[in-house]
Amino acid sequence: MYKDNSLIPSEAIRLAALGLLWQGERSYADLAREIRHFVGRIVGPSLELLGPSLELFKIEGIIEAIDPKQPADLQIMRLTAEGRTELQRLMTTRMRGPMGEVNKLIVAFKMHFFNCLAPDDQRQQLDLLIEACDKELVRLGDLRSYEPLTATSGHLPSWLDLEIGEIGARRAWFEGLKSQIAP
């Protein structure tokens, strides 16, 4: 975790493993395969995300094999009580801006496992995501309105408009989701 209590890239993999096991027990091999598949489809191949192995998670006590005597690839894994606590911590951390590939992956995992949070925590996370969008909109809006930039920038202004539109749509989607959560 960074000093500002936002997730570091390797914690995205930790979040994935814990969230998948929150959904249900899986074999060690299936867990590894699902994580690789999901990460590969959101951010593509990434050395930065070759974080800690599932073995480390077992050593830390956040996941465990139901029958540790089985060969590793045949072991059925489950979340421990410590793992549930860690999942809650990871799910309720803030996002680091701007919305790059790693943050998109973390948001995707948070949305994938969103139902593991209580409604108050869900609303709080959506508030943090909306705040992150607002910060990006201000930052890009400031660049878009920078006078020397607009006169000689080729297609940059229209690209910034596209980015601003996407962030605005993401923000509206988070707002809509938040309005669906019962108080």
Side-chain angles (χ1 to χ4, degrees):
M1 185 165 297
Y2 290 112
K3 287 181 182 180
D4 65 356
N5 289 332
S6 61
L7 296 179
I8 60 174
S10 63
E11 287 176 311
I13 303 306
R14 187 180 195 88
L15 175 59
L18 297 176
L20 288 167
L21 290 175
W22 169 78
Q23 291 178 329
E25 298 170 351
R26 287 170 168 69
S27 73
Y28 187 97
D30 286 345
L31 182 59
R33 188 174 18 264
E34 285 185 60
I35 292 169
R36 273 192 311 272
H37 180 81
F38 199 92
V39 170
R41 297 316 174 271
I42 299 288
V43 298
S46 172
L47 291 175
E48 183 179 23
L49 292 171
L50 291 177
S53 72
L54 297 178
E55 285 300 314
L56 178 60
F57 299 158
K58 285 170 50 177
I59 291 168
E60 292 175 347
I62 58 177
I63 66 173
E64 65 184 0
I66 292 174
D67 182 3
K69 294 179 181 170
Q70 290 285 334
D73 61 331
L74 298 177
Q75 291 178 354
I76 301 298
M77 307 305 297
R78 66 181 169 203
L79 200 56
T80 64
E82 294 83 2
R84 288 184 189 285
T85 301
E86 178 66 357
L87 176 60
Q88 177 71 21
R89 182 187 72 79
L90 294 171
M91 286 292 294
T92 56
T93 56
R94 59 177 53 255
M95 298 298 304
R96 192 162 224 208
M99 187 61 77
E101 284 184 343
V102 172
N103 275 352
K104 285 183 181 181
L105 179 64
I106 292 169
V107 170
F109 284 137
K110 285 188 177 207
M111 293 297 104
H112 190 43
F113 311 124
F114 200 64
N115 292 335
C116 81
L117 294 174
D120 286 344
D121 289 333
Q122 289 177 354
R123 281 189 294 280
Q124 181 183 27
Q125 277 304 295
L126 290 167
D127 284 340
L128 291 172
L129 292 167
I130 290 165
E131 178 185 322
C133 289
D134 289 343
K135 288 178 180 178
E136 279 192 83
L137 288 169
V138 167
R139 183 178 53 80
L140 292 177
D142 182 60
L143 181 58
R144 178 65 175 91
S145 66
Y146 185 58
E147 194 63 40
L149 184 73
T150 58
T152 61
S153 299
H155 296 288
L156 180 60
S158 61
W159 179 81
L160 287 170
D161 291 341
L162 175 67
E163 288 292 308
I164 290 167
E166 288 176 1
I167 295 165
R170 186 179 311 120
R171 186 191 189 289
W173 188 84
F174 291 141
E175 285 281 0
L177 183 57
K178 184 179 172 187
S179 72
Q180 296 173 24
I181 300 170

